[in-house]
Amino acid sequence: MNNNIYSHKILFFLTILSILFTILFYNEQVAVRGGLVISGEVLYEDNISPLKYYFFNSWSLLTQLTALLLKIGLTTQLVSFFLIFLLTLILFFSCFILFEKFVGNITLSICLSCLLIFFQKNLGDTDYPSLIFTIHTFGAFAQALTGLIVATLLINNLKLSFLLGFILFCIHPIVGLWVLFILIFFTFFQKKFRKFNDFFKVLMPGLLLTIISLCFFYYFSLEKLPYDQNLFNIYINKWDGHRAITGEIHYEYLFKSLILLILIFYLCPKNNENKFFLSVFSSMIISSIIIYLLFKIFHLNNYKILSPIIPGRFLITFTFIAWPVALSLIYFRFKEAKYINYFFYSLIILYSSMHYKTFLDVKDKIVSKDKNLIFLKLKELEDTGNVITSASSSFNVLFLSRKPLLMSKTIDYLPYHPYLVNNIKEIMTEVYGYDFDNPPKKNFPYLSDKFIKSNFEERSNNDWIKIKNKFKSNVVITPNSWKLDLKLIYSDKKYNLYRI
């Protein structure tokens, strides 16, 4: 492996690029919401909201990291910026290591990395979307870390690979456990260590990090509530959106995965240096396809122990790293060709010019920043209680206002927290007007403003007072076109803020 990746100049340049891309693709991260709650920056004074249980009982190293950053005084925007910067840095290093390994040209390697990251190239979607720069922190980091693990296998840095594997486990346990199992299996199968003590030394940093993270999690976690299993079964059968869609098979993604597998087998040099990389990465692809098909064909999500698993998540872990792997191997195969560098530079220019609208979209995103005045006004209010919102206005209550939110837009976390189903049904029925037994749209675990609007507008002031007393909620936020039988405190271009 070329030592160029360790030079201070390369490290500095990739860091600067990561900062630039973070500015271009900045968005608020969902991981910050949990950090606000477990750090005490957002205080739930009662146990009414299911979100309190959800945040305290969801283990993630990223949430703990955001809580720590918030505790030392960083704003929610700065914490989000840091998370996206870290994500982008991981993406750049995973790309650059692969390109430097097989391309060996620093300038071309950086240009190709920029191309793939800027245009967010991936293999497509399965049941779960393949997103790179997204508000959904945990899925994005799962993809990025898997890619960096694949890249570190090429430089045979097992200590780093296992550390990243444990970090992945602490962020996305199901995916992390799968990756670690494959790593450990081939470590023993290919006899990478003669003594167990040597292997244990490699595992030690990741194990220690995991133990510390788990200790903090269990210390702050809340006691689970009793719940109605029949009610949870109704959710799985009628509301759940990810796990219930088990019939449709995404053949296009499977085909692309098989093409990637063929490229790896035929283009990657078969030597001892690449043996571990070939074994682990190909096993990740093959096993993810097998898991996906088994769940689809035999409807394994119907079994309680397997119901939390989204099989498409395993497939999309390599959705981003597939492109740098494929392009670097194609370059390596034709590296002796006279005009190979010119061909790749031309490819970069041609693709960029054909997709020039992406540059315009990024520019428009930077220019048109919402001021979110309503949430700044909410932040100034005292005694708000558990804030009630419409579906469209729920995210920023925690993020910008730092006020406790009664319920978020989505309830798709219930398979991981079934003990909250009674609580959620009560709120959805009495506050939002849903019939939990008969959702208006099957397998759609989200609140809908179209459905909520009439329920909110037809409710009398006395009905709102009953809700206030039961759910300890003193304010309501809705789109500004809605007219409620409540006192209007403040209004901006998008939302109304009412006092109950």
Short mmCIF file of all heavy atoms in Angstrom, two decimals, residues 1-3 5-6 93 97 101 145-166 180 183 187 192-193 198-199 201-203 205 272-277 280:
data_model
loop_
_atom_site.label_atom_id
_atom_site.label_comp_id
_atom_site.label_asym_id
_atom_site.label_seq_id
_atom_site.Cartn_x
_atom_site.Cartn_y
_atom_site.Cartn_z
N MET A 1 0.84 -1.20 0.00
CA MET A 1 0.00 0.00 0.00
C MET A 1 0.87 1.25 0.00
O MET A 1 1.81 1.36 0.77
CB MET A 1 -0.90 -0.01 1.23
CG MET A 1 -1.85 1.18 1.32
SD MET A 1 -3.07 1.15 0.02
CE MET A 1 -3.68 2.81 0.11
N ASN A 2 0.53 2.17 -0.86
CA ASN A 2 1.29 3.41 -0.95
C ASN A 2 1.15 4.22 0.34
O ASN A 2 0.06 4.44 0.83
CB ASN A 2 0.76 4.24 -2.13
CG ASN A 2 1.71 5.32 -2.53
OD1 ASN A 2 2.33 5.95 -1.68
ND2 ASN A 2 1.84 5.54 -3.83
N ASN A 3 2.28 4.64 0.88
CA ASN A 3 2.26 5.40 2.14
C ASN A 3 1.72 6.81 1.98
O ASN A 3 1.64 7.57 2.94
CB ASN A 3 3.67 5.46 2.74
CG ASN A 3 4.08 4.12 3.32
OD1 ASN A 3 3.25 3.39 3.82
ND2 ASN A 3 5.37 3.82 3.23
N ILE A 5 -1.23 7.75 1.63
CA ILE A 5 -2.47 7.98 2.38
C ILE A 5 -2.18 8.44 3.81
O ILE A 5 -3.06 8.96 4.48
CB ILE A 5 -3.38 6.73 2.40
CG1 ILE A 5 -2.71 5.59 3.19
CG2 ILE A 5 -3.77 6.30 1.04
CD1 ILE A 5 -3.68 4.51 3.56
N TYR A 6 -0.95 8.21 4.27
CA TYR A 6 -0.61 8.60 5.63
C TYR A 6 0.09 9.95 5.69
O TYR A 6 0.39 10.43 6.78
CB TYR A 6 0.29 7.54 6.27
CG TYR A 6 -0.36 6.18 6.34
CD1 TYR A 6 0.13 5.13 5.55
CD2 TYR A 6 -1.43 5.92 7.17
CE1 TYR A 6 -0.45 3.87 5.60
CE2 TYR A 6 -2.02 4.66 7.23
CZ TYR A 6 -1.52 3.64 6.45
OH TYR A 6 -2.10 2.40 6.49
N PHE A 93 -12.02 8.77 2.89
CA PHE A 93 -10.93 7.83 3.15
C PHE A 93 -11.21 6.46 2.55
O PHE A 93 -10.31 5.80 2.03
CB PHE A 93 -10.67 7.72 4.65
CG PHE A 93 -9.63 8.67 5.14
CD1 PHE A 93 -10.00 9.83 5.80
CD2 PHE A 93 -8.29 8.43 4.91
CE1 PHE A 93 -9.04 10.74 6.23
CE2 PHE A 93 -7.32 9.32 5.34
CZ PHE A 93 -7.69 10.48 6.00
N ILE A 97 -8.52 5.22 -0.23
CA ILE A 97 -7.71 4.01 0.01
C ILE A 97 -7.87 3.02 -1.14
O ILE A 97 -6.88 2.44 -1.62
CB ILE A 97 -8.12 3.35 1.35
CG1 ILE A 97 -7.67 4.21 2.53
CG2 ILE A 97 -7.51 1.95 1.48
CD1 ILE A 97 -8.21 3.75 3.87
N LYS A 101 -4.92 2.24 -3.89
CA LYS A 101 -4.45 0.85 -3.95
C LYS A 101 -4.34 0.36 -5.39
O LYS A 101 -3.34 -0.24 -5.79
CB LYS A 101 -5.42 -0.04 -3.16
CG LYS A 101 -5.22 -1.54 -3.35
CD LYS A 101 -4.04 -2.06 -2.58
CE LYS A 101 -3.96 -3.58 -2.69
NZ LYS A 101 -2.85 -4.13 -1.91
N LEU A 145 -19.29 3.34 7.31
CA LEU A 145 -18.35 2.54 8.09
C LEU A 145 -18.10 1.18 7.44
O LEU A 145 -16.97 0.69 7.43
CB LEU A 145 -18.87 2.34 9.51
CG LEU A 145 -18.69 3.54 10.46
CD1 LEU A 145 -19.49 3.33 11.74
CD2 LEU A 145 -17.22 3.76 10.78
N THR A 146 -19.14 0.57 6.87
CA THR A 146 -18.94 -0.69 6.15
C THR A 146 -17.98 -0.49 4.99
O THR A 146 -17.10 -1.32 4.75
CB THR A 146 -20.28 -1.24 5.63
OG1 THR A 146 -21.19 -1.39 6.72
CG2 THR A 146 -20.09 -2.59 4.96
N GLY A 147 -18.12 0.63 4.29
CA GLY A 147 -17.21 0.93 3.19
C GLY A 147 -15.78 1.10 3.65
O GLY A 147 -14.84 0.60 3.01
N LEU A 148 -15.58 1.78 4.78
CA LEU A 148 -14.22 1.97 5.29
C LEU A 148 -13.63 0.66 5.79
O LEU A 148 -12.42 0.43 5.65
CB LEU A 148 -14.23 3.02 6.42
CG LEU A 148 -12.86 3.49 6.91
CD1 LEU A 148 -12.01 4.02 5.75
CD2 LEU A 148 -13.01 4.55 7.99
N ILE A 149 -14.46 -0.20 6.36
CA ILE A 149 -13.98 -1.54 6.76
C ILE A 149 -13.49 -2.31 5.55
O ILE A 149 -12.41 -2.92 5.57
CB ILE A 149 -15.10 -2.32 7.48
CG1 ILE A 149 -15.39 -1.70 8.85
CG2 ILE A 149 -14.71 -3.79 7.66
CD1 ILE A 149 -16.65 -2.21 9.51
N VAL A 150 -14.27 -2.27 4.47
CA VAL A 150 -13.87 -2.94 3.23
C VAL A 150 -12.54 -2.38 2.73
O VAL A 150 -11.64 -3.12 2.31
CB VAL A 150 -14.96 -2.77 2.15
CG1 VAL A 150 -14.46 -3.23 0.78
CG2 VAL A 150 -16.22 -3.55 2.54
N ALA A 151 -12.39 -1.04 2.80
CA ALA A 151 -11.15 -0.41 2.33
C ALA A 151 -9.96 -0.81 3.19
O ALA A 151 -8.87 -1.08 2.67
CB ALA A 151 -11.31 1.11 2.31
N THR A 152 -10.15 -0.86 4.52
CA THR A 152 -9.03 -1.20 5.40
C THR A 152 -8.60 -2.66 5.24
O THR A 152 -7.46 -3.01 5.57
CB THR A 152 -9.38 -0.94 6.87
OG1 THR A 152 -10.56 -1.68 7.23
CG2 THR A 152 -9.59 0.53 7.12
N LEU A 153 -9.49 -3.51 4.75
CA LEU A 153 -9.11 -4.91 4.49
C LEU A 153 -8.03 -4.98 3.42
O LEU A 153 -7.19 -5.88 3.44
CB LEU A 153 -10.33 -5.72 4.04
CG LEU A 153 -11.46 -5.88 5.07
CD1 LEU A 153 -12.64 -6.60 4.44
CD2 LEU A 153 -10.98 -6.63 6.29
N LEU A 154 -8.06 -4.01 2.50
CA LEU A 154 -7.08 -4.00 1.41
C LEU A 154 -5.67 -3.66 1.91
O LEU A 154 -4.69 -4.06 1.31
CB LEU A 154 -7.49 -3.00 0.34
CG LEU A 154 -8.47 -3.52 -0.72
CD1 LEU A 154 -8.94 -2.38 -1.59
CD2 LEU A 154 -7.82 -4.60 -1.57
N ILE A 155 -5.59 -2.89 2.99
CA ILE A 155 -4.27 -2.55 3.52
C ILE A 155 -3.91 -3.47 4.69
O ILE A 155 -2.93 -3.25 5.39
CB ILE A 155 -4.19 -1.07 3.95
CG1 ILE A 155 -5.29 -0.72 4.96
CG2 ILE A 155 -4.30 -0.16 2.74
CD1 ILE A 155 -5.22 0.70 5.48
N ASN A 156 -4.74 -4.51 4.88
CA ASN A 156 -4.48 -5.54 5.89
C ASN A 156 -4.23 -4.99 7.29
O ASN A 156 -3.39 -5.48 8.03
CB ASN A 156 -3.30 -6.42 5.45
CG ASN A 156 -3.68 -7.34 4.32
OD1 ASN A 156 -4.53 -8.23 4.47
ND2 ASN A 156 -3.08 -7.12 3.16
N ASN A 157 -4.99 -3.95 7.61
CA ASN A 157 -4.91 -3.37 8.95
C ASN A 157 -6.07 -3.95 9.77
O ASN A 157 -7.12 -3.32 9.94
CB ASN A 157 -5.00 -1.84 8.88
CG ASN A 157 -4.65 -1.18 10.21
OD1 ASN A 157 -4.81 -1.77 11.27
ND2 ASN A 157 -4.17 0.04 10.13
N LEU A 158 -5.87 -5.17 10.28
CA LEU A 158 -6.94 -5.87 10.98
C LEU A 158 -7.36 -5.15 12.26
O LEU A 158 -8.53 -5.18 12.64
CB LEU A 158 -6.52 -7.30 11.30
CG LEU A 158 -6.69 -8.33 10.18
CD1 LEU A 158 -6.25 -9.70 10.65
CD2 LEU A 158 -8.11 -8.36 9.69
N LYS A 159 -6.41 -4.53 12.92
CA LYS A 159 -6.74 -3.83 14.16
C LYS A 159 -7.74 -2.71 13.89
O LYS A 159 -8.72 -2.54 14.62
CB LYS A 159 -5.46 -3.26 14.80
CG LYS A 159 -5.66 -2.76 16.22
CD LYS A 159 -4.32 -2.44 16.86
CE LYS A 159 -4.51 -2.06 18.33
NZ LYS A 159 -3.22 -1.79 19.00
N LEU A 160 -7.51 -1.97 12.82
CA LEU A 160 -8.41 -0.90 12.44
C LEU A 160 -9.74 -1.45 11.95
O LEU A 160 -10.81 -0.92 12.27
CB LEU A 160 -7.76 -0.01 11.38
CG LEU A 160 -8.58 1.19 10.89
CD1 LEU A 160 -8.98 2.09 12.05
CD2 LEU A 160 -7.78 1.98 9.85
N SER A 161 -9.69 -2.54 11.16
CA SER A 161 -10.92 -3.15 10.65
C SER A 161 -11.83 -3.59 11.78
O SER A 161 -13.05 -3.35 11.75
CB SER A 161 -10.58 -4.35 9.75
OG SER A 161 -9.82 -3.96 8.64
N PHE A 162 -11.27 -4.24 12.79
CA PHE A 162 -12.09 -4.71 13.91
C PHE A 162 -12.58 -3.55 14.77
O PHE A 162 -13.71 -3.58 15.27
CB PHE A 162 -11.30 -5.72 14.76
CG PHE A 162 -11.43 -7.12 14.27
CD1 PHE A 162 -10.40 -7.71 13.54
CD2 PHE A 162 -12.57 -7.86 14.53
CE1 PHE A 162 -10.52 -9.02 13.08
CE2 PHE A 162 -12.70 -9.16 14.08
CZ PHE A 162 -11.67 -9.75 13.34
N LEU A 163 -11.76 -2.53 14.95
CA LEU A 163 -12.20 -1.36 15.71
C LEU A 163 -13.40 -0.72 15.01
O LEU A 163 -14.41 -0.39 15.66
CB LEU A 163 -11.07 -0.35 15.85
CG LEU A 163 -11.44 0.98 16.53
CD1 LEU A 163 -11.96 0.74 17.95
CD2 LEU A 163 -10.25 1.92 16.54
N LEU A 164 -13.30 -0.56 13.69
CA LEU A 164 -14.41 0.00 12.92
C LEU A 164 -15.64 -0.91 12.99
O LEU A 164 -16.78 -0.43 13.02
CB LEU A 164 -13.99 0.20 11.46
CG LEU A 164 -12.93 1.29 11.22
CD1 LEU A 164 -12.42 1.21 9.79
CD2 LEU A 164 -13.51 2.67 11.50
N GLY A 165 -15.39 -2.24 13.01
CA GLY A 165 -16.49 -3.19 13.12
C GLY A 165 -17.25 -3.03 14.43
O GLY A 165 -18.49 -3.07 14.47
N PHE A 166 -16.53 -2.82 15.51
CA PHE A 166 -17.17 -2.63 16.82
C PHE A 166 -17.88 -1.27 16.88
O PHE A 166 -18.95 -1.15 17.50
CB PHE A 166 -16.15 -2.75 17.94
CG PHE A 166 -15.88 -4.16 18.36
CD1 PHE A 166 -14.71 -4.80 17.97
CD2 PHE A 166 -16.80 -4.87 19.13
CE1 PHE A 166 -14.46 -6.12 18.35
CE2 PHE A 166 -16.56 -6.18 19.52
CZ PHE A 166 -15.38 -6.81 19.12
N LEU A 180 -19.06 -8.17 11.95
CA LEU A 180 -18.09 -8.74 12.88
C LEU A 180 -18.03 -10.26 12.77
O LEU A 180 -16.94 -10.86 12.86
CB LEU A 180 -18.43 -8.33 14.32
CG LEU A 180 -18.04 -6.92 14.74
CD1 LEU A 180 -18.61 -6.59 16.11
CD2 LEU A 180 -16.52 -6.74 14.74
N LEU A 183 -15.95 -11.08 9.76
CA LEU A 183 -14.55 -10.77 10.04
C LEU A 183 -13.91 -11.84 10.93
O LEU A 183 -12.81 -12.34 10.64
CB LEU A 183 -14.42 -9.40 10.70
CG LEU A 183 -14.54 -8.16 9.82
CD1 LEU A 183 -14.58 -6.90 10.68
CD2 LEU A 183 -13.38 -8.09 8.83
N THR A 187 -10.99 -14.57 9.96
CA THR A 187 -9.76 -14.43 10.73
C THR A 187 -9.29 -15.80 11.23
O THR A 187 -8.10 -16.13 11.16
CB THR A 187 -9.97 -13.49 11.93
OG1 THR A 187 -10.31 -12.19 11.44
CG2 THR A 187 -8.71 -13.38 12.77
N LYS A 192 -5.19 -15.98 10.63
CA LYS A 192 -4.47 -14.70 10.61
C LYS A 192 -3.62 -14.51 11.87
O LYS A 192 -2.69 -13.70 11.85
CB LYS A 192 -5.48 -13.55 10.49
CG LYS A 192 -6.36 -13.60 9.24
CD LYS A 192 -5.57 -13.42 7.97
CE LYS A 192 -5.15 -12.00 7.77
NZ LYS A 192 -4.50 -11.78 6.44
N PHE A 193 -3.95 -15.24 12.93
CA PHE A 193 -3.18 -15.12 14.17
C PHE A 193 -2.80 -16.52 14.67
O PHE A 193 -3.62 -17.43 14.67
CB PHE A 193 -4.00 -14.39 15.26
CG PHE A 193 -4.35 -12.98 14.90
CD1 PHE A 193 -5.59 -12.68 14.36
CD2 PHE A 193 -3.44 -11.96 15.11
CE1 PHE A 193 -5.92 -11.39 14.02
CE2 PHE A 193 -3.76 -10.65 14.78
CZ PHE A 193 -5.00 -10.37 14.23
N ASP A 198 -2.82 -12.75 20.64
CA ASP A 198 -2.60 -11.75 19.59
C ASP A 198 -3.93 -11.26 19.01
O ASP A 198 -4.10 -10.07 18.75
CB ASP A 198 -1.72 -12.34 18.48
CG ASP A 198 -0.32 -12.66 18.97
OD1 ASP A 198 0.14 -12.01 19.92
OD2 ASP A 198 0.31 -13.58 18.39
N PHE A 199 -4.85 -12.21 18.82
CA PHE A 199 -6.17 -11.85 18.30
C PHE A 199 -6.94 -11.01 19.32
O PHE A 199 -7.61 -10.04 18.96
CB PHE A 199 -6.94 -13.14 17.96
CG PHE A 199 -8.33 -12.90 17.43
CD1 PHE A 199 -8.55 -12.03 16.37
CD2 PHE A 199 -9.42 -13.53 18.00
CE1 PHE A 199 -9.82 -11.81 15.87
CE2 PHE A 199 -10.70 -13.32 17.51
CZ PHE A 199 -10.90 -12.46 16.45
N LYS A 201 -5.72 -8.97 21.49
CA LYS A 201 -5.17 -7.62 21.50
C LYS A 201 -5.78 -6.77 20.37
O LYS A 201 -5.97 -5.56 20.52
CB LYS A 201 -3.66 -7.67 21.34
CG LYS A 201 -2.94 -8.19 22.59
CD LYS A 201 -1.44 -8.27 22.35
CE LYS A 201 -0.71 -8.84 23.57
NZ LYS A 201 0.75 -8.98 23.33
N VAL A 202 -6.08 -7.44 19.25
CA VAL A 202 -6.73 -6.74 18.13
C VAL A 202 -8.16 -6.37 18.49
O VAL A 202 -8.65 -5.29 18.16
CB VAL A 202 -6.68 -7.61 16.86
CG1 VAL A 202 -7.58 -7.03 15.77
CG2 VAL A 202 -5.25 -7.74 16.35
N LEU A 203 -8.84 -7.28 19.20
CA LEU A 203 -10.23 -7.04 19.58
C LEU A 203 -10.37 -6.04 20.72
O LEU A 203 -11.42 -5.38 20.85
CB LEU A 203 -10.90 -8.36 19.99
CG LEU A 203 -11.07 -9.45 18.95
CD1 LEU A 203 -11.76 -10.65 19.57
CD2 LEU A 203 -11.88 -8.95 17.76
N PRO A 205 -9.45 -2.91 21.75
CA PRO A 205 -9.95 -1.52 21.67
C PRO A 205 -11.45 -1.46 21.39
O PRO A 205 -12.17 -0.70 22.03
CB PRO A 205 -9.14 -0.92 20.52
CG PRO A 205 -7.90 -1.75 20.46
CD PRO A 205 -8.32 -3.13 20.82
N ASN A 272 -1.85 -13.26 -1.82
CA ASN A 272 -2.04 -13.34 -0.37
C ASN A 272 -2.43 -12.00 0.23
O ASN A 272 -3.17 -11.94 1.22
CB ASN A 272 -0.77 -13.87 0.31
CG ASN A 272 -0.55 -15.34 0.04
OD1 ASN A 272 -1.52 -16.09 -0.15
ND2 ASN A 272 0.70 -15.77 0.03
N GLU A 273 -1.94 -10.94 -0.37
CA GLU A 273 -2.22 -9.60 0.15
C GLU A 273 -3.71 -9.27 0.06
O GLU A 273 -4.25 -8.58 0.92
CB GLU A 273 -1.41 -8.56 -0.62
CG GLU A 273 -1.48 -7.17 -0.02
CD GLU A 273 -0.63 -6.17 -0.80
OE1 GLU A 273 0.10 -6.60 -1.71
OE2 GLU A 273 -0.72 -4.98 -0.48
N ASN A 274 -4.38 -9.76 -0.99
CA ASN A 274 -5.79 -9.44 -1.21
C ASN A 274 -6.74 -10.56 -0.79
O ASN A 274 -7.96 -10.43 -0.93
CB ASN A 274 -6.03 -9.13 -2.70
CG ASN A 274 -5.26 -7.92 -3.17
OD1 ASN A 274 -5.05 -6.97 -2.41
ND2 ASN A 274 -4.81 -7.94 -4.42
N LYS A 275 -6.19 -11.66 -0.29
CA LYS A 275 -7.01 -12.83 0.01
C LYS A 275 -8.08 -12.54 1.05
O LYS A 275 -9.25 -12.93 0.89
CB LYS A 275 -6.10 -13.97 0.50
CG LYS A 275 -6.84 -15.28 0.73
CD LYS A 275 -5.86 -16.36 1.18
CE LYS A 275 -6.60 -17.67 1.44
NZ LYS A 275 -5.65 -18.73 1.92
N PHE A 276 -7.71 -11.85 2.12
CA PHE A 276 -8.67 -11.56 3.18
C PHE A 276 -9.76 -10.61 2.69
O PHE A 276 -10.94 -10.79 2.99
CB PHE A 276 -7.94 -10.97 4.39
CG PHE A 276 -8.75 -10.99 5.65
CD1 PHE A 276 -9.05 -12.18 6.29
CD2 PHE A 276 -9.21 -9.80 6.21
CE1 PHE A 276 -9.81 -12.19 7.47
CE2 PHE A 276 -9.96 -9.81 7.38
CZ PHE A 276 -10.25 -11.01 8.00
N PHE A 277 -9.36 -9.60 1.93
CA PHE A 277 -10.33 -8.66 1.35
C PHE A 277 -11.33 -9.39 0.47
O PHE A 277 -12.55 -9.19 0.59
CB PHE A 277 -9.60 -7.59 0.54
CG PHE A 277 -10.45 -6.88 -0.47
CD1 PHE A 277 -11.35 -5.90 -0.06
CD2 PHE A 277 -10.37 -7.20 -1.82
CE1 PHE A 277 -12.14 -5.24 -0.99
CE2 PHE A 277 -11.17 -6.55 -2.76
CZ PHE A 277 -12.06 -5.56 -2.34
N VAL A 280 -13.75 -11.66 2.68
CA VAL A 280 -14.71 -10.94 3.52
C VAL A 280 -15.74 -10.19 2.68
O VAL A 280 -16.95 -10.30 2.90
CB VAL A 280 -13.99 -9.98 4.48
CG1 VAL A 280 -15.00 -9.11 5.23
CG2 VAL A 280 -13.14 -10.77 5.47
#
